[in-house]
Amino acid sequence: AHHFHRLLHLVLSARCCRIPHPVSGNMDVPVKLAKVVKVLGRTGSTGNVTQVRVEFVDDKERSIIRNVKGPVKEGDILTLLEWEREARRLR
């Protein structure tokens, strides 16, 4: 947890948008930061995925719905490796 918070602090303080890719470690993978503005609900066969609405840190006008695995709450900053695709809305 400490490593993640330190990495997030470095990314936000430097206004940098390059982090190591989680699998390859490649530093040339573009990312986009997005803030969770609303938790919409749980999904997945065991309810282990949370659907959230996020707005982009660099473009407050644009928001999309994403599925997040693991704990998440309003105000969290997500690092998106892919930001064009939007999750389908829960029914």
Side-chain angles (χ1 to χ4, degrees):
H2 174 71
H3 176 70
F4 170 76
H5 291 294
R6 178 162 163 62
L7 179 62
L8 181 60
H9 173 73
L10 291 172
V11 169
L12 292 176
S13 64
R15 292 277 182 218
C16 170
C17 285
R18 287 178 54 205
I19 64 166
H21 187 275
V23 177
S24 68
N26 185 355
M27 288 295 289
D28 293 327
V29 177
V31 298
K32 196 168 276 261
L33 302 178
K35 182 178 179 180
V36 176
V37 293
K38 186 170 185 177
V39 175
L40 302 174
R42 310 281 284 183
T43 186
S45 59
T46 60
N48 62 341
V49 176
T50 307
Q51 199 162 70
V52 297
R53 178 168 294 280
V54 298
E55 71 180 18
F56 295 105
V57 171
D58 63 350
D59 182 5
K60 300 283 186 192
E61 299 293 315
R62 186 167 173 231
S63 70
I64 62 171
I65 295 171
R66 292 299 298 254
N67 292 329
V68 179
K69 189 171 182 181
V72 64
K73 64 183 184 307
E74 287 184 22
D76 284 354
I77 304 290
L78 305 180
T79 303
L80 304 180
L81 297 175
E82 195 282 317
W83 55 89
E84 296 298 328
R85 193 174 6 181
E86 186 166 4
R88 282 189 235 170
R89 194 63 203 271
L90 289 172
R91 294 183 202 177

